[in-house]
Amino acid sequence: VRFLTPREFSYQAFVSLDEAAGVIYVLGSSDPRETHLWRFPVAGGAGEQLTKDRGVHGAVFSKDHASYVHSYN
């Protein structure tokens, strides 16, 4: 067992696993007032914050991960 997100990262929810691309999508933030969509490599390494605007973000991915619906408040 190992961490896929940094220990200081405030993980909030699992969104999706793209096995073909080797990445997971999660919601979280270092700021407890916000929720952002992140992508992390399953093999380990730095994540990428996909949403930048302040607020609460969410996403639902298609089965093939070619598209997703982004929600924002």
Side-chain angles (χ1 to χ4, degrees), residues 9-51:
F9 180 77
S10 179
Y11 168 84
Q12 295 174 1
F14 173 81
V15 176
S16 190
L17 167 65
D18 184 345
E19 291 184 75
V23 297
I24 62 166
Y25 295 91
V26 299
L27 297 175
S29 177
S30 58
D31 183 340
R33 299 168 295 175
E34 298 186 11
T35 302
H36 290 280
L37 179 64
W38 286 75
R39 177 175 49 216
F40 288 92
V42 173
E48 178 183 5
Q49 183 176 337
L50 302 177
T51 55

